[in-house]
Amino acid sequence: MNTKYRALVPVLGMSLILTGVSASFVATSATAAPKLKVTYIPKNLGNPYFDAIVKGFNKSAKGLNMTVKVVAPAQAGATDQIPFIEAAIQQKVDAIAISPNDASALCPTLKRAMKAGIIVLAVNGDVDVACRQASITPVDFSLLGKYLVDQTASVIDGKGDWAFLSATSTAPDQNGWLVAAGKYIEGGGQPGLKLVDTVYGDDAPEKSATEAQALLAKYPNLKAINAPTTVGIAAAAQVLSTSPLKGKVQVTGLGTPNQMRQYIKDGTVKSFSLWDPSVQGSLAANLIATMKAKNLKPKAGVKLAYKGVGPEKWTMGKNAGIIAGPPQEFNAKNIDDFNF
Ligand code: RAM
Protein backbone atom coordinates (compact mmCIF):
# COMPACT_ATOMS: atom_id res chain seq x y z
CA MET A 1 0.00 0.00 0.00
CA ASN A 2 1.19 3.48 -0.78
CA THR A 3 1.81 5.20 2.53
CA LYS A 4 2.72 8.60 1.12
CA TYR A 5 -0.45 10.38 2.17
CA ARG A 6 -2.30 7.88 4.26
CA ALA A 7 -2.71 7.13 7.89
CA LEU A 8 -5.12 4.31 8.50
CA VAL A 9 -7.42 4.92 11.40
CA PRO A 10 -10.11 2.41 12.25
CA VAL A 11 -13.33 4.37 12.78
CA LEU A 12 -16.66 2.65 13.40
CA GLY A 13 -15.33 -0.55 11.91
CA MET A 14 -14.14 0.99 8.66
CA SER A 15 -10.86 2.32 7.44
CA LEU A 16 -10.60 6.06 7.30
CA ILE A 17 -7.73 7.50 5.32
CA LEU A 18 -6.67 11.00 6.03
CA THR A 19 -4.55 13.10 3.76
CA GLY A 20 -1.44 14.66 5.17
CA VAL A 21 -2.83 18.05 4.30
CA SER A 22 -6.20 17.59 5.90
CA ALA A 23 -5.97 15.07 8.71
CA SER A 24 -9.08 16.71 10.08
CA PHE A 25 -11.21 19.59 8.98
CA VAL A 26 -9.41 22.74 9.98
CA ALA A 27 -11.21 25.02 12.42
CA THR A 28 -11.61 28.57 11.18
CA SER A 29 -11.27 31.77 13.16
CA ALA A 30 -14.39 33.76 14.06
CA THR A 31 -13.76 36.37 11.38
CA ALA A 32 -12.49 34.26 8.46
CA ALA A 33 -14.99 32.78 6.01
CA PRO A 34 -15.55 29.13 6.97
CA LYS A 35 -13.46 26.70 4.99
CA LEU A 36 -15.29 24.57 2.45
CA LYS A 37 -15.26 20.97 3.62
CA VAL A 38 -14.88 18.43 0.84
CA THR A 39 -14.70 14.65 1.07
CA TYR A 40 -13.16 12.84 -1.89
CA ILE A 41 -13.81 9.09 -2.15
CA PRO A 42 -11.56 7.22 -4.63
CA LYS A 43 -12.43 3.69 -5.77
CA ASN A 44 -10.11 1.98 -3.31
CA LEU A 45 -6.86 2.20 -1.38
CA GLY A 46 -3.34 1.66 -2.62
CA ASN A 47 -3.68 2.93 -6.19
CA PRO A 48 -1.21 5.68 -7.17
CA TYR A 49 -3.62 6.78 -9.90
CA PHE A 50 -5.89 8.25 -7.24
CA ASP A 51 -2.91 9.81 -5.43
CA ALA A 52 -2.45 11.86 -8.60
CA ILE A 53 -6.08 13.01 -8.52
CA VAL A 54 -5.66 13.91 -4.82
CA LYS A 55 -2.54 15.90 -5.66
CA GLY A 56 -4.51 18.04 -8.10
CA PHE A 57 -7.34 18.42 -5.60
CA ASN A 58 -5.01 19.59 -2.82
CA LYS A 59 -3.04 21.90 -5.09
CA SER A 60 -6.19 23.80 -6.11
CA ALA A 61 -7.83 23.59 -2.66
CA LYS A 62 -4.98 25.61 -1.17
CA GLY A 63 -6.09 28.75 -3.00
CA LEU A 64 -9.80 28.11 -2.53
CA ASN A 65 -10.18 28.15 1.26
CA MET A 66 -11.03 24.44 1.11
CA THR A 67 -10.02 21.30 3.01
CA VAL A 68 -10.10 17.96 1.26
CA LYS A 69 -10.48 14.77 3.26
CA VAL A 70 -9.73 11.58 1.33
CA VAL A 71 -11.39 8.35 2.43
CA ALA A 72 -11.79 5.07 0.56
CA PRO A 73 -12.57 1.40 1.06
CA ALA A 74 -9.86 -1.25 0.94
CA GLN A 75 -11.54 -2.92 -2.02
CA ALA A 76 -13.33 -1.54 -5.06
CA GLY A 77 -16.61 -3.45 -4.55
CA ALA A 78 -19.90 -2.01 -5.85
CA THR A 79 -21.23 -0.99 -2.41
CA ASP A 80 -17.97 -0.55 -0.46
CA GLN A 81 -18.06 3.25 -0.73
CA ILE A 82 -21.51 3.62 0.88
CA PRO A 83 -20.32 3.89 4.52
CA PHE A 84 -17.91 6.66 3.48
CA ILE A 85 -20.69 8.64 1.78
CA GLU A 86 -22.84 8.16 4.89
CA ALA A 87 -20.04 9.41 7.15
CA ALA A 88 -19.60 12.52 4.99
CA ILE A 89 -23.34 13.25 5.20
CA GLN A 90 -23.16 12.99 8.99
CA GLN A 91 -20.18 15.33 9.03
CA LYS A 92 -22.24 17.88 7.05
CA VAL A 93 -19.55 18.43 4.46
CA ASP A 94 -20.10 20.99 1.70
CA ALA A 95 -19.29 18.57 -1.11
CA ILE A 96 -18.65 14.91 -1.86
CA ALA A 97 -16.57 13.99 -4.89
CA ILE A 98 -16.59 10.30 -5.69
CA SER A 99 -14.85 8.01 -8.20
CA PRO A 100 -17.63 5.44 -8.27
CA ASN A 101 -17.34 1.67 -8.18
CA ASP A 102 -20.86 1.24 -9.52
CA ALA A 103 -23.20 3.46 -11.54
CA SER A 104 -26.40 2.67 -9.60
CA ALA A 105 -25.61 1.00 -6.25
CA LEU A 106 -24.48 4.28 -4.68
CA CYS A 107 -27.47 6.27 -5.95
CA PRO A 108 -29.84 6.18 -2.96
CA THR A 109 -27.03 7.33 -0.64
CA LEU A 110 -25.79 10.02 -3.04
CA LYS A 111 -29.36 11.28 -3.43
CA ARG A 112 -29.61 11.53 0.36
CA ALA A 113 -26.44 13.63 0.34
CA MET A 114 -27.87 16.01 -2.27
CA LYS A 115 -31.14 16.25 -0.30
CA ALA A 116 -29.05 17.34 2.69
CA GLY A 117 -27.70 20.22 0.57
CA ILE A 118 -24.34 18.58 -0.18
CA ILE A 119 -22.81 19.09 -3.63
CA VAL A 120 -22.18 15.70 -5.28
CA LEU A 121 -19.67 15.34 -8.11
CA ALA A 122 -18.72 12.14 -9.92
CA VAL A 123 -15.00 12.21 -10.69
CA ASN A 124 -13.16 9.91 -13.12
CA GLY A 125 -16.25 7.76 -13.74
CA ASP A 126 -19.95 8.58 -13.72
CA VAL A 127 -23.06 7.45 -11.87
CA ASP A 128 -26.67 7.68 -13.07
CA VAL A 129 -27.18 11.36 -13.84
CA ALA A 130 -29.93 11.81 -11.24
CA CYS A 131 -27.44 10.90 -8.49
CA ARG A 132 -24.91 13.71 -8.95
CA GLN A 133 -24.88 17.33 -10.03
CA ALA A 134 -21.97 17.14 -12.46
CA SER A 135 -19.32 14.71 -13.63
CA ILE A 136 -15.66 15.15 -14.47
CA THR A 137 -14.34 12.30 -16.58
CA PRO A 138 -11.01 11.92 -18.33
CA VAL A 139 -12.27 11.03 -21.79
CA ASP A 140 -15.28 10.66 -24.02
CA PHE A 141 -16.07 7.03 -23.15
CA SER A 142 -17.28 6.12 -26.65
CA LEU A 143 -14.04 7.37 -28.21
CA LEU A 144 -11.83 5.55 -25.71
CA GLY A 145 -13.30 2.17 -26.72
CA LYS A 146 -11.93 2.61 -30.26
CA TYR A 147 -8.71 4.05 -28.86
CA LEU A 148 -8.03 0.89 -26.81
CA VAL A 149 -8.66 -1.47 -29.73
CA ASP A 150 -6.48 0.61 -32.06
CA GLN A 151 -3.81 0.78 -29.37
CA THR A 152 -3.79 -3.03 -29.17
CA ALA A 153 -3.53 -3.26 -32.95
CA SER A 154 -0.57 -0.90 -32.96
CA VAL A 155 1.55 -3.11 -30.64
CA ILE A 156 0.89 -6.36 -32.56
CA ASP A 157 0.84 -5.03 -36.12
CA GLY A 158 -2.91 -5.33 -36.41
CA LYS A 159 -3.08 -9.13 -36.15
CA GLY A 160 -3.73 -11.74 -33.47
CA ASP A 161 -5.67 -12.90 -30.42
CA TRP A 162 -5.92 -10.53 -27.49
CA ALA A 163 -7.77 -10.14 -24.18
CA PHE A 164 -8.92 -7.36 -21.88
CA LEU A 165 -7.72 -7.44 -18.27
CA SER A 166 -10.13 -4.97 -16.69
CA ALA A 167 -10.72 -3.61 -13.18
CA THR A 168 -13.97 -4.66 -11.39
CA SER A 169 -16.94 -6.01 -13.30
CA THR A 170 -19.08 -3.07 -12.09
CA ALA A 171 -16.60 -0.23 -12.72
CA PRO A 172 -18.52 2.50 -14.58
CA ASP A 173 -15.39 3.82 -16.31
CA GLN A 174 -13.91 0.55 -17.58
CA ASN A 175 -17.34 -0.86 -18.43
CA GLY A 176 -18.13 2.22 -20.51
CA TRP A 177 -14.88 1.81 -22.43
CA LEU A 178 -15.35 -1.95 -22.90
CA VAL A 179 -18.86 -1.54 -24.28
CA ALA A 180 -17.58 1.09 -26.72
CA ALA A 181 -14.69 -1.18 -27.72
CA GLY A 182 -17.19 -3.98 -28.40
CA LYS A 183 -19.27 -1.70 -30.64
CA TYR A 184 -16.19 -0.67 -32.61
CA ILE A 185 -15.21 -4.31 -33.11
CA GLU A 186 -18.77 -5.31 -34.12
CA GLY A 187 -18.77 -2.46 -36.61
CA GLY A 188 -15.68 -3.96 -38.29
CA GLY A 189 -12.94 -2.09 -36.40
CA GLN A 190 -9.49 -3.75 -36.56
CA PRO A 191 -10.64 -6.95 -38.35
CA GLY A 192 -7.23 -8.62 -37.93
CA LEU A 193 -7.65 -8.74 -34.14
CA LYS A 194 -9.64 -11.35 -32.22
CA LEU A 195 -10.82 -10.47 -28.69
CA VAL A 196 -10.81 -13.89 -26.98
CA ASP A 197 -11.66 -12.96 -23.38
CA THR A 198 -12.34 -10.22 -20.83
CA VAL A 199 -11.22 -10.90 -17.25
CA TYR A 200 -11.35 -8.80 -14.08
CA GLY A 201 -8.47 -8.14 -11.70
CA ASP A 202 -10.63 -5.93 -9.43
CA ASP A 203 -7.95 -3.20 -9.33
CA ALA A 204 -6.10 -5.44 -6.86
CA PRO A 205 -2.47 -6.19 -7.81
CA GLU A 206 -2.46 -9.88 -6.79
CA LYS A 207 -5.78 -10.75 -8.43
CA SER A 208 -4.74 -8.85 -11.57
CA ALA A 209 -1.45 -10.80 -11.73
CA THR A 210 -3.29 -14.11 -11.24
CA GLU A 211 -5.74 -13.23 -14.01
CA ALA A 212 -2.87 -12.27 -16.35
CA GLN A 213 -1.14 -15.59 -15.66
CA ALA A 214 -4.39 -17.46 -16.29
CA LEU A 215 -4.83 -15.72 -19.65
CA LEU A 216 -1.30 -16.72 -20.71
CA ALA A 217 -1.96 -20.34 -19.72
CA LYS A 218 -5.40 -20.56 -21.32
CA TYR A 219 -4.64 -18.95 -24.69
CA PRO A 220 -1.38 -20.22 -26.20
CA ASN A 221 -1.92 -17.99 -29.25
CA LEU A 222 -2.46 -14.85 -27.21
CA LYS A 223 -0.55 -11.91 -28.69
CA ALA A 224 -1.63 -9.05 -26.40
CA ILE A 225 -3.24 -8.16 -23.10
CA ASN A 226 -4.90 -4.76 -22.95
CA ALA A 227 -5.42 -3.61 -19.34
CA PRO A 228 -7.35 -0.32 -19.24
CA THR A 229 -6.55 0.04 -15.55
CA THR A 230 -3.35 1.32 -13.99
CA VAL A 231 -3.38 -1.55 -11.47
CA GLY A 232 -4.03 -4.22 -14.09
CA ILE A 233 -1.44 -3.04 -16.61
CA ALA A 234 1.33 -2.84 -13.98
CA ALA A 235 0.45 -6.34 -12.70
CA ALA A 236 0.36 -7.83 -16.22
CA ALA A 237 3.66 -6.15 -17.12
CA GLN A 238 5.25 -7.49 -13.96
CA VAL A 239 4.11 -11.04 -14.81
CA LEU A 240 5.43 -10.78 -18.38
CA SER A 241 8.71 -9.17 -17.36
CA THR A 242 9.90 -12.40 -15.75
CA SER A 243 8.17 -14.81 -18.15
CA PRO A 244 9.64 -16.60 -21.18
CA LEU A 245 6.73 -14.97 -23.04
CA LYS A 246 8.24 -11.51 -22.54
CA GLY A 247 8.31 -9.83 -25.94
CA LYS A 248 6.07 -12.53 -27.42
CA VAL A 249 2.94 -11.32 -25.67
CA GLN A 250 2.48 -7.55 -25.58
CA VAL A 251 0.97 -5.64 -22.68
CA THR A 252 -0.70 -2.29 -23.31
CA GLY A 253 -3.60 -0.23 -21.96
CA LEU A 254 -3.75 2.59 -19.43
CA GLY A 255 -1.00 3.06 -16.84
CA THR A 256 0.87 5.69 -14.88
CA PRO A 257 4.32 6.53 -16.29
CA ASN A 258 5.93 6.06 -12.86
CA GLN A 259 4.57 2.53 -12.43
CA MET A 260 5.32 1.51 -16.01
CA ARG A 261 8.73 3.12 -16.55
CA GLN A 262 10.70 0.00 -15.61
CA TYR A 263 8.70 -2.18 -18.02
CA ILE A 264 9.29 0.21 -20.90
CA LYS A 265 13.01 0.28 -20.05
CA ASP A 266 13.33 -3.52 -19.80
CA GLY A 267 11.48 -4.04 -23.10
CA THR A 268 8.40 -5.78 -21.67
CA VAL A 269 6.10 -2.98 -22.87
CA LYS A 270 6.29 -0.99 -26.13
CA SER A 271 3.68 1.65 -25.37
CA PHE A 272 0.68 2.49 -23.22
CA SER A 273 -1.40 5.60 -22.53
CA LEU A 274 -3.02 7.81 -19.90
CA TRP A 275 -4.16 11.36 -19.30
CA ASP A 276 -2.91 13.52 -16.43
CA PRO A 277 -5.20 12.46 -13.53
CA SER A 278 -4.35 15.55 -11.46
CA VAL A 279 -6.36 17.75 -13.84
CA GLN A 280 -9.55 16.02 -12.70
CA GLY A 281 -8.78 16.77 -9.04
CA SER A 282 -8.01 20.41 -9.80
CA LEU A 283 -11.18 20.77 -11.84
CA ALA A 284 -13.28 19.18 -9.09
CA ALA A 285 -11.93 21.55 -6.41
CA ASN A 286 -12.52 24.59 -8.62
CA LEU A 287 -15.99 23.49 -9.70
CA ILE A 288 -17.07 22.92 -6.09
CA ALA A 289 -15.82 26.39 -5.14
CA THR A 290 -17.68 27.97 -8.10
CA MET A 291 -20.89 26.10 -7.32
CA LYS A 292 -20.74 27.32 -3.72
CA ALA A 293 -19.70 30.91 -4.37
CA LYS A 294 -21.98 31.58 -7.33
CA ASN A 295 -24.75 29.11 -6.59
CA LEU A 296 -23.99 27.67 -10.03
CA LYS A 297 -26.36 24.97 -11.27
CA PRO A 298 -24.31 22.72 -13.57
CA LYS A 299 -25.80 22.08 -17.01
CA ALA A 300 -24.70 21.67 -20.62
CA GLY A 301 -23.18 24.83 -22.04
CA VAL A 302 -21.93 26.29 -18.73
CA LYS A 303 -18.54 27.88 -19.35
CA LEU A 304 -15.80 27.83 -16.73
CA ALA A 305 -12.33 29.37 -16.64
CA TYR A 306 -9.70 28.12 -14.18
CA LYS A 307 -6.19 29.54 -14.37
CA GLY A 308 -3.45 26.90 -14.41
CA VAL A 309 -5.89 23.99 -14.83
CA GLY A 310 -5.33 22.18 -18.16
CA PRO A 311 -6.37 24.36 -21.11
CA GLU A 312 -7.92 26.79 -18.55
CA LYS A 313 -11.24 27.21 -20.42
CA TRP A 314 -13.86 24.51 -19.96
CA THR A 315 -17.42 23.97 -21.18
CA MET A 316 -19.87 21.53 -19.65
CA GLY A 317 -21.23 18.99 -22.12
CA LYS A 318 -24.28 16.72 -22.07
CA ASN A 319 -25.65 16.00 -18.59
CA ALA A 320 -23.28 18.54 -17.00
CA GLY A 321 -20.24 16.42 -17.85
CA ILE A 322 -16.75 17.87 -18.20
CA ILE A 323 -14.06 15.95 -20.03
CA ALA A 324 -10.60 16.52 -18.57
CA GLY A 325 -8.50 14.40 -21.05
CA PRO A 326 -6.84 13.92 -23.42
CA PRO A 327 -5.12 10.50 -23.48
CA GLN A 328 -1.44 10.58 -24.34
CA GLU A 329 0.83 7.74 -25.45
CA PHE A 330 4.00 6.87 -23.54
CA ASN A 331 6.89 4.91 -25.04
CA ALA A 332 10.68 4.55 -24.77
CA LYS A 333 11.18 7.97 -26.37
CA ASN A 334 9.08 10.07 -23.99
CA ILE A 335 8.56 8.07 -20.76
CA ASP A 336 11.20 10.07 -18.88
CA ASP A 337 9.40 13.33 -19.61
CA PHE A 338 6.60 12.37 -17.21
CA ASN A 339 6.45 12.06 -13.45
CA PHE A 340 3.12 10.87 -12.08
C1 RAM B 1 -7.33 2.56 -12.42
C2 RAM B 1 -8.74 2.84 -11.97
C3 RAM B 1 -9.27 4.12 -12.55
C4 RAM B 1 -8.98 4.21 -14.03
C5 RAM B 1 -7.53 4.06 -14.28
C6 RAM B 1 -7.17 4.14 -15.75
O1 RAM B 1 -6.44 3.33 -11.67
O2 RAM B 1 -9.54 1.76 -12.35
O3 RAM B 1 -10.65 4.21 -12.31
O4 RAM B 1 -9.46 5.42 -14.54
O5 RAM B 1 -7.13 2.80 -13.79
Side-chain angles (χ1 to χ4, degrees):
M1 180 187 303
N2 184 322
T3 50
K4 208 168 51 196
Y5 69 86
R6 296 187 179 104
L8 273 176
V9 185
V11 175
L12 301 171
M14 60 185 167
S15 300
L16 176 65
I17 323 133
L18 307 175
T19 65
V21 176
S22 52
S24 61
F25 292 135
V26 178
T28 49
S29 75
T31 49
K35 275 194 184 266
L36 285 180
K37 295 188 290 188
V38 178
T39 290
Y40 171 50
I41 311 174
K43 280 180 167 181
N44 61 343
L45 297 177
N47 182 350
Y49 177 86
F50 293 108
D51 295 357
I53 293 185
V54 169
K55 206 170 161 195
F57 234 125
N58 282 331
K59 192 173 144 218
S60 292
K62 264 190 206 154
L64 294 168
N65 197 32
M66 176 185 287
T67 60
V68 184
K69 181 148 86 177
V70 183
V71 292
Q75 279 150 10
T79 56
D80 289 339
Q81 291 166 309
I82 289 176
F84 298 92
I85 306 169
E86 280 169 346
I89 297 172
Q90 266 181 15
Q91 290 157 15
K92 298 189 171 27
V93 297
D94 295 290
I96 296 171
I98 185 158
S99 297
N101 284 318
D102 192 284
S104 313
L106 310 172
C107 272
T109 324
L110 292 176
K111 280 185 176 165
R112 242 181 344 102
M114 289 193 291
K115 243 190 169 163
I118 296 172
I119 291 172
V120 174
L121 295 189
V123 173
N124 194 58
D126 208 354
V127 290
D128 300 344
V129 294
C131 319
R132 51 60 166 179
Q133 277 137 300
S135 73
I136 295 169
T137 51
V139 279
D140 179 325
F141 282 21
S142 58
L143 297 183
L144 197 77
K146 174 180 187 306
Y147 186 100
L148 295 172
V149 180
D150 291 346
Q151 175 189 52
T152 308
S154 81
V155 294
I156 53 172
D157 296 326
K159 248 182 101 182
D161 293 1
W162 67 289
F164 267 129
L165 167 59
S166 192
T168 61
S169 61
T170 64
D173 45 355
Q174 277 90 6
N175 279 357
W177 308 334
L178 264 50
V179 166
K183 283 192 185 147
Y184 175 55
I185 294 167
E186 272 167 34
Q190 296 296 347
L193 297 188
K194 189 172 162 213
L195 177 62
V196 294
D197 211 343
T198 296
V199 297
Y200 299 90
D202 292 349
D203 268 353
E206 301 76 19
K207 174 139 199 284
S208 302
T210 306
E211 293 293 341
Q213 272 152 350
L215 283 175
L216 297 175
K218 192 167 168 194
Y219 301 101
N221 291 327
L222 198 72
K223 292 283 175 301
I225 296 175
N226 187 309
T229 134
T230 61
V231 178
I233 193 174
Q238 199 237 319
V239 166
L240 257 315
S241 69
T242 55
S243 156
L245 293 171
K246 174 177 163 184
K248 296 192 181 106
V249 177
Q250 288 300 319
V251 175
T252 190
L254 304 174
T256 65
N258 288 354
Q259 283 177 289
M260 295 300 290
R261 183 169 287 106
Q262 58 177 306
Y263 305 117
I264 288 277
K265 301 250 173 194
D266 76 6
T268 306
V269 173
K270 285 186 197 164
S271 64
F272 65 98
S273 301
L274 197 67
W275 40 84
D276 178 354
S278 73
V279 175
Q280 294 180 69
S282 286
L283 266 176
N286 279 286
L287 179 57
I288 289 164
T290 309
M291 285 172 72
K292 264 296 195 204
K294 303 195 173 153
N295 197 22
L296 172 84
K297 303 281 174 249
K299 59 172 192 266
V302 165
K303 292 199 184 318
L304 304 159
Y306 297 129
K307 209 162 183 302
V309 183
E312 301 197 340
K313 289 202 163 56
W314 301 89
T315 305
M316 284 191 169
K318 203 173 147 215
N319 296 322
I322 308 181
I323 292 180
Q328 128 111 58
E329 184 185 290
F330 308 103
N331 50 44
K333 282 196 193 119
N334 69 2
I335 188 81
D336 284 334
D337 299 341
F338 299 91
N339 182 20
F340 61 85

